Amino acid sequence: MSIVFLFTKLANFFLFMRADPRWGAIYGIACLMSFIMFPEPAYGGPDNIIYFKEDTLKEELEKDRKGYWLVEFYAGWSPPCVQFSSLFAELSLKYSNDFLRFGKINIGTSPDTAKQYYVDISSMSRQLPTVILFHQGKEKTRVPIWDSKGKVVKYTFNEANLIYDFDLNNIHQETLKLCKNKKSKKEDNPEKTEDEKKND
């Protein structure tokens, strides 16, 4: 919906410019000021997401070799990223466990990380947000993708597409089994209590 409003404002700007450049300039400044002073509100609800800084993502991926990571690469100034944040939070609450984790990194403030993971962060970028699924520390799949000519393929970020494209239902079932195995191993080999340690 916000994209429709954006195009409507642009159309109005050009109509004002055509009628009288002074009115166009006034309208353009008013729109710019409203955009700066009243940005789209960021999602502030519950989530199960780990927020990474520039170096911590690579370290975590290298450390966690068994599990899956679904990571959103976003920029705080990007309206599509702001709109997507609530959906990503909902998915994290529904699917995350010890072996399927959700993460976010603000590449708007980490341009080196953007380059490392081949995400364009220019103002005209069609790669924001980018969501990448990592397994055993390596990239398994991402959206949006590039076509054979190297152009970004337009992607519709909705729950059904993300669940299908990342195979979240099957990965969730697989990781739940890993969680059960981990729990049963702990029950079979319980750690000694403090009193038992003192008696040894």
Side-chain angles (χ1 to χ4, degrees):
M1 186 59 88
S2 64
I3 292 170
V4 173
F5 286 124
L6 178 65
F7 282 115
T8 304
K9 287 177 183 176
L10 284 172
N12 285 336
F13 172 73
F14 286 116
L15 288 171
F16 276 121
M17 287 297 283
R18 191 170 177 191
D20 185 342
R22 289 174 293 181
W23 284 109
I26 292 168
Y27 181 78
I29 291 168
C31 287
L32 187 62
M33 291 301 291
S34 69
F35 180 73
I36 292 168
M37 294 176 71
F38 306 107
E40 192 168 342
Y43 176 76
D47 63 38
N48 198 354
I49 297 170
I50 295 171
Y51 290 82
F52 293 106
K53 293 184 180 174
E54 194 159 350
D55 299 326
T56 55
L57 173 61
K58 188 177 180 184
E59 289 172 10
E60 187 61 41
L61 291 173
E62 288 173 355
K63 187 172 72 176
D64 185 5
R65 305 299 272 177
K66 290 183 180 178
Y68 292 86
W69 276 96
L70 193 64
V71 181
E72 178 195 351
F73 295 78
Y74 74 100
W77 49 261
S78 167
C81 292
V82 174
Q83 292 163 10
F84 178 62
S85 60
S86 60
L87 174 57
F88 195 68
E90 287 171 21
L91 288 172
S92 76
L93 292 170
K94 186 175 179 182
Y95 286 100
S96 66
N97 58 50
D98 288 347
F99 292 93
L100 172 56
R101 296 180 183 168
F102 286 70
K104 288 179 81 164
I105 183 164
N106 185 352
I107 54 173
T109 58
S110 306
D112 291 338
T113 305
K115 284 179 188 173
Q116 184 180 355
Y117 293 98
Y118 307 103
V119 182
D120 176 22
I121 56 170
S122 67
S123 58
M124 299 301 288
S125 174
R126 295 176 63 198
Q127 286 186 274
L128 292 171
T130 288
V131 182
I132 302 178
L133 178 68
F134 296 93
H135 181 48
Q136 297 178 339
K138 295 178 181 177
E139 181 178 329
K140 189 174 179 186
T141 187
R142 72 163 61 202
V143 293
I145 59 170
W146 300 284
D147 63 16
S148 57
K149 295 177 183 176
K151 292 183 179 179
V152 178
V153 177
K154 187 177 179 187
Y155 187 78
T156 304
F157 284 92
N158 61 41
E159 186 174 358
N161 285 350
L162 290 164
I163 290 169
Y164 177 79
D165 292 330
F166 289 109
D167 197 20
L168 285 179
N169 287 328
N170 287 329
I171 290 173
H172 188 242
Q173 291 303 315
E174 176 191 332
T175 54
L176 284 177
K177 288 176 186 174
L178 292 171
C179 290
K180 284 179 185 174
N181 290 341
K182 182 181 176 183
K183 189 177 178 183
S184 64
K185 281 180 183 177
K186 278 187 178 179
E187 288 171 357
D188 291 341
N189 300 311
E191 292 183 9
K192 292 182 178 180
T193 64
E194 290 298 319
D195 291 335
E196 288 173 331
K197 287 178 183 176
K198 285 177 185 175
N199 292 332
D200 284 348

